[in-house]
Amino acid sequence: MILGAHAKINLNLEVLGLRPDGYHELKTVFQSLALHDTLRFELADETFAIVCASPGVPLDERNLVWQAARLVWYAAGRSGEPAGRVRITKRIPAQGGLGGGSADGAAALVGWDRLWGTSLSESQLRELAVRLGADVPFFLCAGSALGLNRGDVVYPLVDRPASWVVLAFPPFGVSTPEAFRWWDEDAGRAGTTAGSGDRPSRDPFAVFNDLEAPVSRRHPTLGEIRALLDQGGADAAAMTGSGSTVFGLFGAEEAALSASRLLAARGWRTLVTRTATRRQAGLGLR
Ligand code: C5P
C-alpha cells in the first residue's frame, strides 16, 4: 500500500477574527502541489513502527501518522494497540506552511484504513481528520479547495489551471500559534485588521495572505525574498499558511527555473514544483 502525501500552498488566506475558542476564523484557498512525501504501509504482527531516515521527523506518538493509526483502529472498534509499519520518504520541508505533517496525517488515515480493511466511511475519515488538526481535512480533498471556519471546513473547487511554483525558504521558521498571535497584536495596535489592503475579491485564486504582514514585520528577510520573486518575474507571490515559506507562481518552467537561480545566487534555498489537480494529488476518496 503506497500513497503520495502532497504538499499545499494557501493561494490566499484571510483572517476574519479571533474566535471565542482561541482559534481564528479563516477564509482560505488551498492548492495542492506536485511535491509530495511517500508513505509505504505494511502489515505487522503486534508491533507498530514508523521508519523515516529524515532528521527531525518524530517516530513516536507526536507524529500525526501514529495518531492517525490510533484514530482509525479505535474508530473501527478494534481493541489493544494498532499493529503495522509505515516507511515515510520525506520531501516536504517541515514547519514551513506547506502542510507536510498534516498531509502525512491525512494519507495515514486512508492508508491504515485500506491496509487493515476497516472500511471507514468518508464522513468518518473526515471527522477523524478534524481531530488530527485544522489543516488535515483539506488533504482528504486535495486539488483546489476553499477552507472556512478554522480552515477545517473544506469545499472542493474546480481545479485551478496549472502553474509552475517556486518555493523559497527563509532561514527562520514560524510556529502557527506565533503567527496568529502576531496577527492579534498588530490588529489590536492598528485598531483594524492586520491584513494587506486591496484584495481582488471576485477571483477565488487571488494571491495574498493576511499573516504575511505580521510575520514580515518581525522577519524583514521575508520581504526581501518576496521582492526577489517579484523581480524574477513571478505572476504572483505570497507567504503560504503561517509561513515561513514564500511561493511564486509562473506560467512557464524556464521562467520558474530562472527565478529559482536568481534566489539561489543570493544564498536562499529554493525548490521548483508545479500545482497538482485533485486527481493527481488526491487520496482517491471522491
Ligand atoms: O489545528 P492546529 O493544531 O494545526 O493549530 C495549531 C495552533 O494554531 C492552534 O492552537 C492555534 O493557536 C492556531 N490556529 C488558529 N486559528 C486557526 C488554526 C490554527 O489560531 N484557524
Side-chain angles (χ1 to χ4, degrees):
M1 248 294 303
I2 300 180
L3 286 175
H6 287 256
K8 60 84 178 163
I9 50 176
N10 299 81
L11 290 171
N12 53 64
L13 190 156
E14 207 170 332
V15 184
L16 303 175
L18 180 62
R19 297 156 42 120
D21 63 4
Y23 276 80
H24 289 75
E25 194 71 23
L26 300 185
K27 183 177 173 201
T28 185
V29 172
F30 295 104
Q31 174 62 55
S32 292
L33 299 179
L35 173 69
H36 65 279
D37 295 341
T38 303
L39 282 74
R40 292 180 176 78
F41 300 86
E42 292 163 27
L43 291 169
D45 286 336
E46 293 177 22
T47 59
F48 187 86
I50 297 176
V51 181
C52 179
S54 303
V57 176
L59 304 176
D60 56 17
E61 294 89 340
R62 287 170 297 165
N63 196 314
L64 292 187
V65 169
W66 190 303
Q67 295 173 31
R70 287 234 168 91
L71 289 175
V72 170
W73 191 262
Y74 299 122
R78 301 208 172 178
S79 57
E81 285 289 314
R85 170 192 287 264
V86 58
R87 290 170 195 279
I88 306 176
T89 306
K90 201 76 202 156
R91 297 187 200 85
I92 309 173
Q95 285 171 356
L98 296 168
S102 301
D104 291 358
L109 289 174
V110 174
W112 296 123
D113 181 52
R114 290 207 192 128
L115 185 78
W116 294 329
T118 38
S119 305
L120 299 182
S121 68
E122 285 191 22
S123 73
Q124 275 178 303
L125 290 172
R126 267 193 287 274
E127 269 170 46
L128 300 185
V130 177
R131 288 168 62 184
L132 284 180
D135 257 7
V136 180
F138 162 70
F139 294 96
L140 293 179
C141 171
S144 306
L146 173 67
L148 299 178
N149 212 20
R150 299 182 303 153
D152 56 333
V153 174
V154 175
Y155 297 91
L157 299 173
V158 172
D159 284 310
R160 180 188 177 281
S163 280
W164 288 88
V165 182
V166 175
L167 301 174
F169 304 100
F172 57 88
V174 179
S175 80
T176 306
E178 196 171 43
F180 281 105
R181 198 176 61 242
W182 292 341
W183 184 91
D184 291 340
E185 287 172 16
D186 289 11
R189 197 175 57 203
T192 56
T193 137
S196 50
D198 34 285
R199 305 178 188 127
S201 60
R202 292 282 169 200
D203 177 6
F205 301 130
V207 173
F208 62 85
N209 185 338
D210 282 356
L211 294 174
E212 185 173 330
V215 173
S216 300
R217 206 160 287 138
R218 277 105 185 150
H219 290 289
T221 38
L222 194 127
E224 287 170 33
I225 291 174
R226 162 75 192 269
L228 279 175
L229 280 168
D230 291 332
Q231 200 183 314
D235 298 330
M239 188 180 83
T240 174
S242 59
S244 61
T245 308
V246 182
F247 67 90
L249 302 178
F250 294 83
E253 181 176 21
E254 192 40 55
L257 291 173
S258 106
S260 161
R261 283 193 291 267
L262 175 72
L263 282 146
R266 304 289 177 91
W268 304 120
R269 213 158 52 84
T270 65
L271 206 153
V272 179
T273 182
R274 302 192 68 175
T275 57
T277 61
R278 179 160 305 116
R279 199 182 163 80
Q280 291 164 335
L283 294 162
L285 287 195
R286 48 173 84 234

